[in-house]
Amino acid sequence: MIDFWETVLAGGVRLAVPLGLAATGELLGERTGVLNLGVEGIMAMGAIGGVLGAASLGTTGGLMVGMLVGAAVGLLFSLLTVRLGADELICGFAVALGGSGLAIFLSRTAFDSAPDIVPFAAVEVPGLSSLPIVGPALFDQPWVIWLLPLAVVIVSLVFTRTRLGLALRSAGEGPDAARARGIDVDRHRIGASVAAGALAGLGGAVLCVGLVGEFSDTIIGGRGFVALALVIAARWRPGLLLPAVLGVGSLQALQLRVQATGWGGVPVELLQALPYLVTLLVLALGVGAAHAPRALGQLTKERGA
Amino acid sequence: MLVAVLGRNRPFAVGVAALAFAALSTGGEALERAGAAREIVLVVQAVFVAATAVAIRPKAVAA
């Protein structure tokens, strides 16, 4: 029984990392007042960029390429919305649609047979890996899982401890006041969008290159949209994001595990829906818009004023 | 929803936009038969929508 839960938790951690990286990026962007619904497309682009990069540059090189591709899409999105003043919701949908489409198109045309990618192997930390429950979940894993806590800690420290973080947050809470203080709100938002894109791209690349080793049409499978929901469930706080993504990741892992081993008469479809149901429930019970950055979603209105 | 955006919420234009999207989707199937990937159609549609989003942005954009 312990074995079962250890496997589930270890799988949950692996599933949480791509999701969490994308959600951390989205959180960063939303705290500056930019709502990017295109995470799904950026993850897909990062994933295919990562796979293509990994084919020639190796696994770590693939991650870098995925990150750069994600950053480029983030830049494109922010130029359309922040600079040109196009509607952020519509552009977000366009990025989600076009990014996923382009990623699948590239995967069909770029290679005849899938490139040989060696995902990262698990690294066993001597001693720590034999701890019960958390041992296999944290200390017998590919090193890429540590990118998630690293990203969360960096974003959190930048927000709370630096002048830059203060400027970024002021762009999301009171852009007019920030402008009056001489802060270049647009530039901070564009910068944050690029960083957010890089994180989402990295998330996609970690999933396809670092953990799975291939790209398939359905591999992103709505993760980008789950990431959006998790940012809300975490009340836009980096510290709450970790437990949120770990929870959803573990539910997904549980679902996969039960599907593989069978578990009483519980219908598989119910288990598949479980992560989404729990997300919905948390959203319904947990928060109102009260915790949202005040300027979130106001981009178009700000422009019109 | 994207079709409504493209048609700028004007009934006639929405009809034209819907027709264009449908034509693209159907064309995608022909592409597939010709051996290309139909997903490129999604990219074209996304570019349409993004271009419209820029075109219909509020006028008073700060310089």
Side-chain angles (χ1 to χ4, degrees), chain B residues 11-59:
Chain B
F12 180 70
V14 168
V16 175
L19 205 63
F21 261 50
L24 278 170
S25 304
T26 326
E29 277 157 38
L31 269 181
E32 194 84 6
R33 277 196 299 276
R38 93 166 56 135
E39 280 73 21
I40 195 68
V41 167
L42 295 177
V43 182
V44 176
Q45 290 176 338
V47 172
F48 273 22
V49 171
T52 315
V54 174
I56 62 174
R57 69 191 192 271
K59 288 289 177 286

Side-chain angles (χ1 to χ4, degrees), chain A residues 70-286:
Chain A
V73 183
L75 178 66
L76 176 72
F77 174 81
S78 62
L79 289 180
L80 283 174
T81 53
V82 179
R83 274 277 183 256
L84 294 177
D87 189 292
E88 52 191 326
L89 301 182
I90 301 174
C91 286
F93 265 116
V95 169
L97 181 78
S100 311
L102 188 57
I104 296 173
F105 176 76
L106 286 175
S107 81
R108 294 270 166 79
T109 41
F111 32 80
D112 296 324
S113 60
D116 231 354
I117 295 170
V118 187
F120 294 115
V123 184
E124 199 171 327
V125 184
L128 291 175
S129 61
S130 51
L131 289 172
I133 310 282
V134 294
L138 294 180
F139 301 112
D140 190 8
Q141 295 274 30
W143 64 267
V144 278
I145 66 155
W146 295 103
L147 286 174
L148 174 59
L150 184 71
V152 170
V153 167
I154 290 176
V155 167
S156 166
L157 284 181
V158 166
F159 272 150
T160 53
R161 295 290 152 85
T162 66
R163 195 174 275 269
L164 173 68
L166 194 62
L168 287 169
R169 281 185 292 143
S170 70
E173 298 290 343
D176 290 335
R179 279 191 195 100
R181 287 276 284 110
I183 295 171
D184 189 339
V185 171
D186 282 6
R187 187 171 296 181
H188 282 87
R189 283 177 171 166
I190 291 173
S193 291
V194 172
L199 280 170
L202 181 64
V206 162
L207 178 66
C208 287
V209 178
L211 298 172
V212 179
E214 63 173 21
F215 181 88
S216 70
D217 291 0
T218 53
I219 195 154
I220 304 298
R223 277 170 223 273
F225 294 108
V226 175
L228 283 170
L230 287 177
V231 172
I232 302 172
R235 304 180 177 192
W236 290 270
R237 298 228 302 264
L240 290 179
L241 203 55
L242 272 183
V245 294
L246 278 177
V248 168
S250 302
L251 284 173
Q252 284 173 341
L254 175 69
Q255 177 263 117
L256 289 174
R257 195 76 203 134
V258 170
Q259 222 174 337
T261 56
W263 197 22
V266 188
V268 174
E269 289 77 11
L270 184 69
L271 287 164
Q272 279 172 340
L274 205 58
Y276 307 101
L277 285 179
V278 171
T279 312
L280 263 182
L281 203 68
V282 171
L283 288 182
L285 298 179

